[in-house]
């Protein structure tokens, strides 16, 4: 079950540069994390019950590096918090919705994540994220 917008992911050339604006707005960084499997460094900024996720590439062949090369910085994805990402995947696949991966993978914060292809979501990459209580 989808619960809320968990975060909006924004691809940036430099987290340090991009952070300045959000700090001027009085928002605070919840934490930094590197996800080597995705070639990305992440800063999570708390914004009420949602968050802003700044994404910086850590290698030239990562998905974020390719996004930055193609489009420059900008909104990369929105993330919906779900209670059961595997159940969502099953029902979406049954409805013919195109997903990015054959199964959920570990994302930032140890969550289980899956992505809906922009072709199936009006041009927007949609992340589904389930918190892992372990
Ligand atoms: Zn995300």
């Amino acid at each position: 079950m989808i619960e809320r917008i968990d975060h909006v992911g924004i691809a940036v050339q430099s987290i340090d540069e991009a952070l300045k604006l959000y700090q001027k707005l009085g928002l605070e960084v919840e934490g930094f994390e590197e996800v080597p499997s995705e070639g990305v460094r992440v800063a999570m900024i708390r914004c009420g019950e949602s968050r802003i996720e700044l994404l910086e590439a850590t290698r030239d062949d990562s998905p974020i590096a390719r996004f930055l090369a193609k489009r420059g910085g900008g909104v990369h994805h929105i993330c919906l918090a779900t209670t059961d990402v595997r159940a969502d995947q099953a029902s979406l696949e049954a409805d013919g919705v195109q997903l990015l991966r054959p199964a959920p993978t570990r994302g930032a914060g140890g969550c289980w994540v899956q992505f809906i292809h922009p072709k199936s979501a009006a041009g927007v990459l949609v992340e589904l994220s389930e918190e892992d209580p372990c």
Side-chain angles (χ1 to χ4, degrees):
M1 188 181 77
I2 301 299
E3 297 181 304
R4 66 179 186 283
I5 294 177
D6 184 82
H7 64 264
V8 175
I10 301 175
V12 299
Q13 300 287 352
S14 159
I15 282 178
D16 291 341
E17 278 303 309
L19 259 183
K20 291 176 186 170
L21 170 73
Y22 299 100
Q23 288 170 332
K24 280 180 195 157
L25 291 169
L27 302 177
E28 290 186 7
V29 177
E30 223 174 51
F32 295 93
E33 185 180 350
E34 197 167 325
V35 186
S37 61
E38 301 291 330
V40 72
R41 182 170 164 254
V42 170
M44 274 293 188
I45 303 165
R46 174 58 58 186
C47 185
E49 70 167 11
S50 299
R51 296 177 296 174
I52 294 165
E53 179 184 56
L54 301 180
L55 302 152
E56 178 187 272
T58 56
R59 44 168 218 266
D60 290 344
D61 64 342
S62 72
I64 291 300
R66 288 197 299 268
F67 181 91
L68 288 167
K70 215 159 95 182
R71 306 198 211 178
V75 173
H76 179 262
H77 65 272
I78 65 164
C79 177
L80 305 176
T82 179
T83 55
D84 190 341
V85 69
R86 285 169 186 81
D88 294 333
Q89 171 163 352
S91 77
L92 290 168
E93 283 178 336
D95 284 340
V97 173
Q98 193 180 341
L99 303 176
L100 238 53
R101 296 172 179 170
T105 56
R106 289 275 185 187
C111 293
W112 287 105
V113 299
Q114 176 61 278
F115 291 89
I116 300 171
H117 196 288
K119 283 180 187 162
S120 288
V124 177
L125 179 63
V126 178
E127 178 180 16
L128 301 172
S129 175
E130 177 188 340
E131 265 182 40
D132 188 342
C134 299

